[in-house]
């Protein structure tokens, strides 16, 4: 099936209405990979109506380490301050940038949004899938699909592949649908969240700095 033709939001909505999720005896569990607090805000507001969520913060791609520490703290602060129907807990993965550089070796010069990003997606989602299987969670998914700059089709493709490999359930998503991204910006303002201006890795940081410099030069030449 053509991944780009699928409506992942509707697929998720159908799952949310199934007996597995709607059963009253026990609230199902979700292991949610989060890239940052702003992106997770709407996802937590939405999915905590259905799941006991564990936010898995595994992002060895983030550069520099001070940026990683800031984003981690913001994620924890949001969880502590957000009111949710069902409890949300936090689990931090290992921060080892060598894992990221190994995963993207040979792809360093590929522009953001291409194969380098896809390798990074796989690295983070595979660790989430592994933990989901070990911890016996009912589902796993990621906040990454809320970004207008991220390929939801590729993320769901990777998630479904890993679900099959680990014998677990992937929750399909395209969280930017139904004004999800807009709502995340509203929640970010409400909670005063730090919103980064680059995706996270050193390569995206360099690309952002190059774009900013080009705009500065262009404005000076006008």
């Amino acid at each position: 099936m053509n991944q780009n033709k699928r409506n992942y939001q509707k697929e998720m909505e159908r799952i949310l209405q199934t007996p597995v999720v709607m059963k009253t005896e026990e609230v199902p569990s979700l292991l949610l990979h989060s890239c940052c607090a702003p992106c997770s805000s709407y996802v937590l507001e939405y999915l905590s109506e259905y799941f006991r969520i564990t936010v898995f913060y595994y992002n060895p791609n983030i550069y520099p380490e001070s940026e990683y520490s800031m984003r981690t703290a913001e994620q924890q602060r949001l969880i502590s301050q957000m009111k949710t129907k069902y409890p949300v807990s936090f689990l931090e993965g290992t921060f080892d940038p060598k894992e990221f550089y190994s995963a993207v070796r040979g792809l360093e010069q590929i522009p953001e949004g291409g194969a380098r990003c896809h390798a990074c997606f796989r690295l983070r989602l595979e660790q989430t899938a592994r933990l989901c299987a070990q911890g016996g969670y009912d589902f796993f998914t990621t906040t990454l699909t809320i970004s207008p700059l991220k390929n939801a089709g590729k993320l769901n493709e990777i998630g479904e592949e890993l679900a099959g490999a680990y014998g677990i359930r992937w929750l399909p998503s395209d969280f930017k649908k139904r004004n999800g991204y807009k709502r995340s910006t509203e929640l970010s303002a409400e909670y005063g969240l730090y919103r980064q201006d680059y995706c996270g890795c050193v390569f995206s940081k360099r690309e952002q700095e190059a774009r900013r410099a080009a705009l500065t030069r262009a404005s000076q030449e006008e």
Side-chain angles (χ1 to χ4, degrees):
M1 182 183 295
N2 186 336
Q3 299 284 343
N4 294 324
K5 297 297 184 183
R6 292 170 59 181
N7 188 319
Y8 296 103
Q9 172 65 29
K10 288 186 176 179
E11 290 184 25
M12 179 176 65
E13 288 171 359
R14 285 195 291 270
I15 291 173
L16 294 180
Q17 297 305 316
T18 62
V20 172
V21 175
M22 295 300 291
K23 62 185 180 181
T24 57
E25 294 83 2
E26 183 180 350
V27 181
S29 58
L30 171 70
L31 184 62
L32 174 67
H33 167 262
S34 176
C35 55
C36 63
C39 287
S40 73
S41 59
Y42 164 72
V43 180
L44 291 175
E45 179 183 67
Y46 182 15
L47 292 184
S48 63
E49 291 289 312
Y50 302 92
F51 298 101
R52 288 179 293 106
I53 298 175
T54 297
V55 172
F56 181 45
Y57 195 80
Y58 173 65
N59 299 293
N61 56 306
I62 296 177
Y63 173 89
E65 187 170 352
S66 58
E67 178 77 14
Y68 172 83
S69 298
M70 185 184 304
R71 296 190 192 191
T72 307
E74 282 293 83
Q75 181 70 78
Q76 292 174 295
R77 180 171 73 84
L78 175 65
I79 292 171
S80 70
Q81 295 180 356
M82 238 186 154
K83 291 181 172 58
T84 56
K85 179 177 180 179
Y86 295 118
V88 176
S89 58
F90 176 80
L91 180 61
E92 184 178 0
T94 303
F95 179 63
D96 184 357
K98 293 193 296 295
E99 294 177 348
F100 168 68
Y101 293 120
S102 175
V104 302
R105 185 173 295 121
L107 305 171
E108 294 87 349
Q109 302 307 314
I110 294 179
E112 188 173 356
R116 186 185 70 233
C117 291
H118 299 168
C120 183
F121 296 162
R122 180 173 293 278
L123 169 68
R124 291 184 281 172
L125 287 179
E126 179 146 27
Q127 184 63 14
T128 309
R130 186 177 297 117
L131 186 61
C132 178
Q134 292 171 351
Y137 294 90
D138 293 306
F139 293 88
F140 80 109
T141 195
T142 179
T143 63
L144 284 164
T145 65
I146 200 170
S147 171
L149 302 177
K150 299 293 188 294
N151 186 328
K154 176 56 71 173
L155 283 160
N156 281 281
E157 176 187 311
I158 294 170
E160 289 172 349
E161 178 187 330
L162 292 170
Y166 284 87
I168 53 181
R169 294 194 67 179
W170 167 254
L171 184 68
S173 74
D174 193 353
F175 290 117
K176 59 183 159 291
K177 299 286 189 179
R178 300 194 183 281
N179 290 316
Y181 178 74
K182 179 176 181 290
R183 180 59 180 156
S184 75
T185 63
E186 294 170 349
L187 287 167
S188 294
E190 180 180 332
Y191 288 95
L193 297 176
Y194 162 66
R195 292 183 66 86
Q196 58 276 5
D197 63 357
Y198 67 103
C199 179
C201 73
V202 63
F203 309 111
S204 65
K205 182 175 175 62
R206 288 171 184 168
E207 288 183 32
Q208 174 63 14
E209 290 171 346
R211 286 191 293 269
R212 190 180 297 121
L215 287 172
T216 299
R217 287 194 300 272
S219 64
Q220 292 173 344
E221 292 170 357
E222 289 180 353

